[in-house]
Amino acid sequence: MTTLDDLDRHLLRLLVTDGRATYQELSREVRLSASSVAERVRRLRSTGVIRGYRAEIDARALGRPLTMVSEMRLADSAVRREFADSLASIPQVVSGSRLTGDYDYEVRIACRDAAEFEEIVDRLRQEHGVVAIRSRMVLHDLAVDPGGLTGA
């Protein structure tokens, strides 16, 4: 476990908000030199606190306005690792998590419409070992402070 001080937490909150911020921009916000900020960010990366930087993609802008959150239970004979790896072959799958409880996985799927979602459900059942699916439609995402992990 990595110990964070207040400056590290501040930097993480800034980077979560804008992962493309320059060291100069960050240095102005935290009142440190750009080289000190760069060193802190390098340390946060090397210790695994920062795992990477990603673009946040709006599926609606790409013609996929229907987002479904689906919990999936796999057949007892299914190999979990193979299932997780196979999700990459379904472009509509935008994220997923392994779960405890009644279902094995939660998968977020962005589709053009209900017909496309139905095709994906059928494919998951036929080709990927899914035996039960419970799905809900996402009405809208919430703006939650993603820097909450940086707290005490």
Side-chain angles (χ1 to χ4, degrees):
M1 185 171 126
T2 302
T3 304
L4 303 176
D5 63 18
D6 289 341
L7 282 170
D8 291 333
R9 287 185 191 88
H10 193 180
L11 283 169
L12 288 171
R13 282 191 297 275
L14 293 168
L15 287 169
V16 165
T17 302
D18 181 5
R20 294 184 57 161
T22 66
Y23 294 137
Q24 288 290 69
E25 292 166 336
L26 294 170
S27 71
R28 281 192 294 275
E29 289 289 328
V30 298
R31 295 188 173 104
L32 278 181
S33 70
S35 61
S36 294
V37 166
E39 180 54 39
R40 281 178 177 264
V41 171
R42 275 192 288 277
R43 182 178 46 78
L44 292 166
R45 285 188 60 137
S46 70
T47 59
V49 173
I50 296 174
R51 291 191 309 185
Y53 301 92
R54 293 173 189 79
E56 187 176 322
I57 297 171
D58 184 349
R60 291 175 195 269
L62 295 174
R64 298 190 178 282
L66 177 65
T67 299
M68 302 295 289
V69 175
S70 298
E71 294 174 322
M72 300 179 189
R73 184 177 313 120
L74 303 185
D76 290 338
S77 61
V79 178
R80 268 69 178 147
R81 183 85 232 136
E82 288 177 11
F83 171 78
D85 291 344
S86 75
L87 291 177
S89 71
I90 305 171
Q92 295 86 348
V93 172
V94 295
S95 66
S97 301
R98 177 87 189 264
L99 305 174
T100 63
D102 294 334
Y103 289 84
D104 299 306
Y105 290 89
E106 179 179 272
V107 178
R108 194 170 178 109
I109 303 168
C111 302
R112 289 185 308 270
D113 52 30
E116 183 178 48
F117 178 67
E118 184 178 14
E119 291 172 17
I120 293 166
V121 167
D122 290 344
R123 182 175 170 194
L124 287 164
R125 290 179 189 267
Q126 294 166 3
E127 301 172 15
H128 298 273
V130 173
V131 296
I133 299 178
R134 179 172 62 186
S135 299
R136 293 164 318 281
M137 181 175 62
V138 175
L139 298 175
H140 67 270
D141 289 313
L142 303 177
V144 177
D145 177 14
L149 288 176
T150 64

